[in-house]
Amino acid sequence: MIVSLDYVYLLVGVLLAIVAVMSVRDKANPRRFTTAAFWGLYALVYLLGERIPPLAGGVLMIAMALIAGFGWVRAGRHDALPDAQRQASAARLGHKLLIPALAVPAVTVIGSTLLKDVKIGELFVLDPKNLTLAALGVGAVVALALACRLTRSTPMQGVRELRRLLDAIGWALVLPHFLAVLGLLFTEAGVSKAVAHVVTSYVNMDLRFVAVAVYCVGMALFTIVMGNGFAAFPVMAGGVGIPVLVGIYHANPAIMAAIGMFSAYCGTLMTPMAATFNIVPVALLELPDRHAVIRAQLPTALPLLVANIFLLYFLMDR
């Protein structure tokens, strides 16, 4: 293939390594060495990937967690343009500033749909096994090129902006990656069996509506705790969805899974653990209320969760 997902990961690793070097050179940051170590270790994850032995990978993750947990990841100093110059540039470009941002989803959709089986010679243009992610990587590169063209800046300025954004987000950037594996860990630890035991012991599951409500609300609650619907799904599906809804009430597994994930997404709207959706925007927009996004989403999340319960109840045996 011409564009492999491995190339995208290598590019991300190189960018993180550059950010680590820039951080260690920032003498205005009182935690510059630990901040650089955090981003440097994160860069190794992308640069080495599956070549890292499992034990070494676990030690690396623990080291990153300790650095972040002790508050040793700090924002550095950034050379920003004067407000007058920034406003003049924004006025000159106007809505053209949206072009790079819109290029990312546009290129991703085009690449994942129109370039699915396209080859040049014997090589696929995009990685067929990871088509969407490979197209997303291409979209990001295209967006950077367009941004440099519009603003008359260099790619290095893009790296400086990357560091500024990483400093604004901080360690929360890696939280989704940690949370994504929690579902597997919980399943291996027997949490699904424990959930099934507790639910069947203390809740009357003889009523189909109660079983549906427990499953949907449980999906939302576990997502609130873990911050990731994919982590919550194996726990609730293994504890309630499969043994009760499918095994006893003969629910359609596809409908059970789909509406269950929709219920989990309701939990995503209500938790700070979903850092990518609820904490990162607050940091980027510099909002005074850290939970502003969550407060705005609550009126949508709660009624939608109730709607999912009724949808699953009436559609589960279709």
Side-chain angles (χ1 to χ4, degrees), residues 52 60 63 130 133 135 144 193 224 229 249 251:
I52 301 177
L60 187 151
N130 303 280
L133 291 176
L144 175 61
K193 295 180 180 179
I224 289 173
Y249 295 110

Side-chain angles (χ1 to χ4, degrees), residues 144-201:
L144 175 61
L146 290 172
C148 291
R149 174 73 175 177
L150 285 172
T151 60
R152 302 169 188 170
S153 300
T154 64
M156 193 59 201
Q157 181 60 31
V159 178
R160 296 189 189 97
E161 290 299 317
L162 168 65
R163 181 187 168 228
R164 182 182 65 81
L165 291 177
L166 291 183
D167 278 351
I169 298 169
W171 61 266
L173 179 77
V174 305
L175 188 58
H177 298 175
F178 282 95
L179 295 175
V181 301
L182 272 183
L184 177 62
L185 294 178
F186 276 33
T187 302
E188 292 294 325
V191 176
S192 297
K193 295 180 180 179
V195 169
H197 173 72
V198 171
V199 169
T200 54
S201 298

Side-chain angles (χ1 to χ4, degrees), residues 98-237:
L98 297 175
I99 293 177
L102 295 175
V104 176
V107 173
T108 302
V109 170
I110 292 172
S112 58
T113 54
L114 301 182
L115 300 180
K116 182 177 180 180
D117 298 314
V118 176
K119 292 183 178 181
I120 297 179
E122 297 296 324
L123 299 177
F124 284 99
V125 173
L126 297 175
D127 187 344
K129 293 183 179 180
N130 303 280
L131 187 62
T132 302
L133 291 176
L136 177 62
V138 174
V141 174
V142 171
L144 175 61
L146 290 172
C148 291
R149 174 73 175 177
L150 285 172
T151 60
R152 302 169 188 170
S153 300
T154 64
M156 193 59 201
Q157 181 60 31
V159 178
R160 296 189 189 97
E161 290 299 317
L162 168 65
R163 181 187 168 228
R164 182 182 65 81
L165 291 177
L166 291 183
D167 278 351
I169 298 169
W171 61 266
L173 179 77
V174 305
L175 188 58
H177 298 175
F178 282 95
L179 295 175
V181 301
L182 272 183
L184 177 62
L185 294 178
F186 276 33
T187 302
E188 292 294 325
V191 176
S192 297
K193 295 180 180 179
V195 169
H197 173 72
V198 171
V199 169
T200 54
S201 298
Y202 296 98
V203 180
N204 183 10
M205 304 294 280
D206 292 335
L207 299 175
R208 190 172 82 157
F209 184 82
V210 173
V212 170
V214 167
Y215 172 67
C216 292
V217 174
M219 287 289 291
L221 290 177
F222 267 93
T223 302
I224 289 173
V225 172
M226 296 188 285
N228 191 296
F230 293 99
F233 180 75
V235 175
M236 289 307 300

